[in-house]
Amino acid sequence: MNAGITALGTYVPEQVVTNFDLEQRLDTTDEWVQTRTGIKQRHFAAEGEFCSTLAIRAVENLQARYGENVLNGVDMVIVATATPDAMFPATASLVQAHFGLKAGAFDLLAACPGWLYAVSVAQAYVKSGTCKKVLAIGAETLSRVINWEDRSTAVLFGDGAGAAIIEPVQEGYGFKSFVLGSDGTGADHLHMKAFADCLPSGAKLSNKLYMNGREVFKFAVRVMDTASLEAIEKAGLQTEDISLFVPHQANARIIESARERLKLPLERVVLTVQDYGNNSAASVPLALQRALDEGRVQDGDNLLFVAFGAGLAWAACVLTWGGKQ
Ligand code: UT7
C-alpha cells in the first residue's frame, strides 16, 4: 500500500511585522536582514493566539479547501512543534478535542524538520495498517521565544501552521523515500531551556531561543545537499526527475546554495522566506501550500522536501503528488 498527502491547509496570524518594524526595536536594518537572509516580513501571533490556536486555524483552512468531511475517519493527530501550549497535555490533544475527533494524539519534537518527521511517522502508521488517516500538523509560535537581546536571531523567526492529511493513495503515487538524521554533537549550537539548567556539555540553557548562526549555517548548507541527494537516490530517481524543491525556509542563501549544488533551475524551487521568515516545523507545509496555490504542482510530479534544525537534526523526503483514491 502507498501513502501520500491528499489535503493541505495552512494559517499565518494576521499581524505582519516588517524589517522596518524591527528597525524600531533592534539595532538592525531592512537592508541587512534582506541581504543576509532574504526575509522581508514575518507574521506574529496576537495575544491570546497560541500554538493550538494556529494548528486549529490550519485545520479549519483544510476544511474550507476540501469540505467539512475531510476530517472524517482521522484516527491519529500528530502536532510537530517546539513551541507547544504546554509540556502536557499535547497540543495535538487540544486539536483532537476541538474537532471532536475519535483519534489518538501526540506531539512530536524535532524542531525545524519536525513536520517531515511527523509525516514520516504518519505514512508508516498508514502503510502498516496501524492508522487509516492521519492529521500531521506543524505549528509554531516562535515569536514567544525570541531573544530580543540578540539581533542575529531576533530577525529570523515567525509564527504559522500547516496541516496535512496522510492516507492511502493509488499505486505509483505517494511517499517514495525518507532520510532522517541527527547529529546531537551539535546540540550546543541551537537550544532552549525546558527543565534542566544546562546541556550535558555544560552549555547554559535560557528561556529564549539561542542559536550560533554561523555554525548552523555551515551545517545547513552541507546537509541540505547530502540529505536531498540521498532521498532522491533512495527513491530510485535522478535530480532531473524532481519537479519541485520545497525546502525549509530558514535563509534564502542556504536555499540558493542547495539549489546550485543540486543543479536545479530557479523555477523548480519554492521560496517563501521573504514573506514568513523561519516558521520552524510549519515552514515546509507553508511553502508547499504556496506552490499548490500558484498551480505549480500537478498530479504525478515528484516533490523533494528537506529541512534541518536543532538537534542538530535533518529530514528529506521524495513524494509523488496526487493519486487520491
Ligand atoms: O531553522 C533553524 C536553522 N537556522 C538557520 O538556518 C540559521 C542559519 N544561520 C544564518 O542564517 C546566518 O548565520 C544568520 C542570518 C543568523 C547570520 O548571518 P551571517 O551572515 O552568518 O552573519 P554573522 O553572524 O557572521 O554576522 C555578520 C555581522 C556581524 O557584525 P561584525 O562582527 O561583522 O561587525 C554581526 O554583529 O552582522 C552583524 N549582525 C547584524 N547586523 C545588523 C548580526 N545580526 C545583525 C542584524 N542586523 N540583525
Side-chain angles (χ1 to χ4, degrees):
M1 182 207 292
N2 296 331
I5 297 176
T6 57
L8 188 72
T10 50
Y11 175 75
V12 286
E14 255 174 49
Q15 189 192 354
V16 173
V17 178
T18 66
N19 294 342
F20 295 107
D21 294 329
L22 292 185
E23 284 183 3
Q24 310 303 313
R25 189 166 185 176
L26 291 165
D27 178 16
T28 191
T29 61
D30 171 64
E31 201 263 334
W32 189 95
V33 180
Q34 279 210 50
T35 314
R36 301 290 179 126
T37 71
I39 300 167
K40 291 183 182 167
Q41 61 173 51
R42 69 289 287 144
H43 294 244
F44 280 3
E47 213 177 300
E49 260 189 325
F50 306 104
C51 182
S52 59
T53 324
L54 271 51
I56 287 165
R57 297 273 172 276
V59 178
E60 285 170 352
N61 181 253
L62 188 77
Q63 290 178 308
R65 288 170 183 271
Y66 299 86
E68 299 274 315
N69 291 346
V70 72
L71 296 183
N72 287 0
V74 166
D75 50 3
M76 182 60 71
V77 182
I78 310 174
V79 174
T81 182
T83 49
D85 290 8
M87 286 308 299
F88 52 85
T91 303
S93 288
L94 304 178
V95 176
Q96 171 271 318
H98 181 89
F99 293 99
L101 300 170
K102 201 167 175 294
F106 66 98
D107 287 359
L108 184 153
L109 177 52
C112 298
W115 184 73
L116 288 178
Y117 269 82
V119 163
S120 79
V121 173
Q123 62 93 38
Y125 275 165
V126 170
K127 280 173 110 165
S128 67
T130 307
C131 298
K132 289 196 169 65
K133 193 170 176 182
V134 182
L135 188 53
I137 302 171
E140 301 283 11
T141 44
L142 292 154
S143 62
R144 304 267 155 78
V145 299
I146 287 172
N147 175 3
W148 290 105
E149 305 294 311
D150 176 12
R151 63 179 179 171
S152 73
T153 57
V155 297
L156 303 178
F157 299 97
D159 302 336
I165 297 281
I166 285 92
E167 61 183 333
V169 292
Q170 293 164 32
E171 193 65 37
Y173 294 90
F175 295 104
K176 293 280 192 296
S177 67
F178 277 95
V179 171
L180 304 164
S182 165
D183 176 7
T185 62
D188 284 8
H189 300 316
L190 187 46
H191 50 70
M192 206 182 81
K193 189 173 165 62
F195 300 112
D197 292 327
C198 62
L199 288 171
S201 65
K204 199 170 168 333
L205 289 161
S206 123
N207 287 325
K208 301 293 178 189
L209 184 151
Y210 166 81
M211 179 169 70
N212 177 341
R214 283 185 201 181
E215 284 302 323
V216 177
F217 193 98
K218 282 191 266 176
F219 153 75
V221 165
R222 192 175 67 246
V223 84
M224 289 271 274
D225 175 33
T226 52
S228 295
L229 288 173
E230 208 180 324
I232 294 170
E233 192 187 340
K234 251 178 135 176
L237 299 174
Q238 311 283 331
T239 310
E240 307 84 81
D241 302 321
I242 300 301
S243 314
L244 204 61
F245 179 42
V246 190
H248 173 45
Q249 307 284 319
N251 185 320
R253 287 191 291 147
I254 295 173
I255 295 172
E256 177 54 17
S257 152
R259 185 192 73 77
E260 277 179 11
R261 283 160 178 248
L262 294 169
K263 299 187 182 62
L264 285 168
L266 264 178
E267 61 273 15
R268 291 202 198 167
V269 181
V270 185
L271 203 62
T272 54
V273 70
Q274 66 280 7
D275 298 325
Y276 301 139
N278 182 343
N279 304 107
S280 190
S283 144
V284 172
L286 280 166
L288 175 59
Q289 187 81 78
R290 173 74 61 88
L292 289 166
D293 288 348
E294 290 176 352
R296 296 173 70 188
V297 185
Q298 312 302 328
D299 271 22
D301 281 356
N302 294 314
L303 312 184
L304 169 66
F305 302 96
V306 65
F308 59 89
L312 300 170
W314 61 93
C317 153
V318 172
L319 166 80
T320 304
W321 186 257
K324 190 167 164 46
Q325 290 180 341

